Amino acid sequence: MSLEAQRAHILTGQMYNDLTGELVAARQRAVLLTNAYNDSFGAPQAQREALLRDLLDHVGPGAHFEPTFRCEFGYNISVGAGFYANFDAVMLDGARITIGDNVLLGPRVSIYTSNHAIDPDERVAGACYARPVTIGDSVWIGGGVTINPGVTIGDGAIVGSGAVVTRDVPARVIAAGNPARVLREITERDATGWRPDAL
C-alpha cells in the first residue's frame, strides 16, 4: 500500500501497521528535516520557516520552535500564525495535530495522537491507531504538559504545567492536574490593562 493510501487509512481512525516500510521511511524523512530545522537556529526567520514548510502540513507566519523539536511524520501537523514552542516539543502525528494562531507551548510539551494496540500480540506486530488533537487560538500550554489522543483544547484556554490532558478542555478556562480538570474560567477580571508600550 502506498504512503498516501496508508495516511488516508490512518486518518479514518482504524488500526494500522506501524512497521510498514513506507511509514518507517516517512519517519526517517521527518528526523532528517527536524535535524535540519533544529540546526538552523539563529538563521533568518524566512529560511527557518521554509524548512518548517518542507516538514509540516501548514505553517503560519512567525511560527517558531526552539531546539529541539521532534515529530513522527510532520505531514499531519498544522500550526497557525505566531505559534511558539519552547524547547523539546514532541508531536506524534499519526492523526492530525491542528494548532491555532498565537499558541504558546512551554518547555517539554508532548502531543500524542498515536496509541498502540492493547492486545500484546497485536502491539508487538505493529498495530496502532490514532486520534486527532486540536488546539484553538491564543492557548497557553505550560511546561511538561502531555496531551493525549483525541483531545480538543478551546480558544484562550490555559493548561497548567505538568498536566496530563485526557479529555477536552473548554475555551477560556484554566485547567491543570493529572488528569487535567478545569479549575476556573478566565474572565475580564484577569485583564490587568497591561500593553506592550507600558515599558
Side-chain angles (χ1 to χ4, degrees):
M1 186 185 303
S2 72
L3 177 59
E4 286 305 313
Q6 289 186 66
R7 285 179 63 190
H9 175 80
I10 293 167
L11 291 175
T12 67
Q14 299 176 62
M15 284 288 192
Y16 62 93
N17 183 353
D18 193 45
L19 304 177
T20 67
E22 295 84 1
L23 294 180
V24 170
R27 282 189 203 90
Q28 290 172 340
R29 176 184 181 275
V31 168
L32 294 174
L33 289 172
T34 54
N35 284 347
Y37 177 78
N38 291 327
D39 289 345
S40 74
F41 186 77
Q45 177 69 9
Q47 178 183 335
R48 301 194 81 229
E49 284 184 26
L51 287 168
L52 273 183
R53 285 190 184 89
D54 286 343
L55 174 63
L56 307 183
D57 179 51
H58 172 78
V59 178
H64 177 83
F65 291 83
E66 296 287 341
T68 58
F69 164 53
R70 292 289 174 212
C71 63
E72 185 174 15
F73 300 113
Y75 51 58
N76 287 325
I77 299 172
S78 173
V79 297
F83 169 82
Y84 175 82
N86 213 315
F87 61 81
D88 294 341
V90 174
M91 299 183 184
L92 294 187
D93 59 304
R96 295 196 188 286
I97 296 174
T98 306
I99 300 175
D101 295 337
N102 302 310
V103 171
L104 303 175
L105 301 186
R108 298 194 170 112
V109 169
S110 299
I111 301 173
Y112 302 125
T113 68
S114 304
N115 206 346
H116 297 285
I118 293 172
D119 179 82
D121 293 332
E122 291 180 358
R123 188 168 56 247
V124 169
C128 287
Y129 63 92
R131 304 286 186 269
V133 169
T134 303
I135 299 174
D137 294 335
S138 302
V139 171
W140 177 20
I141 308 292
V145 169
T146 299
I147 300 171
N148 283 299
V151 166
T152 296
I153 298 174
D155 293 346
I158 295 173
V159 179
S161 297
V164 178
V165 184
T166 59
R167 59 182 176 253
D168 292 353
V169 173
R172 296 191 60 82
V173 300
I174 298 172
N178 182 5
R181 66 188 189 287
V182 173
L183 302 180
R184 69 175 179 89
E185 292 184 6
I186 297 170
T187 70
E188 292 178 3
R189 289 177 297 184
D190 291 302
T192 65
W194 182 88
R195 297 292 177 259
D197 57 2
L199 296 177

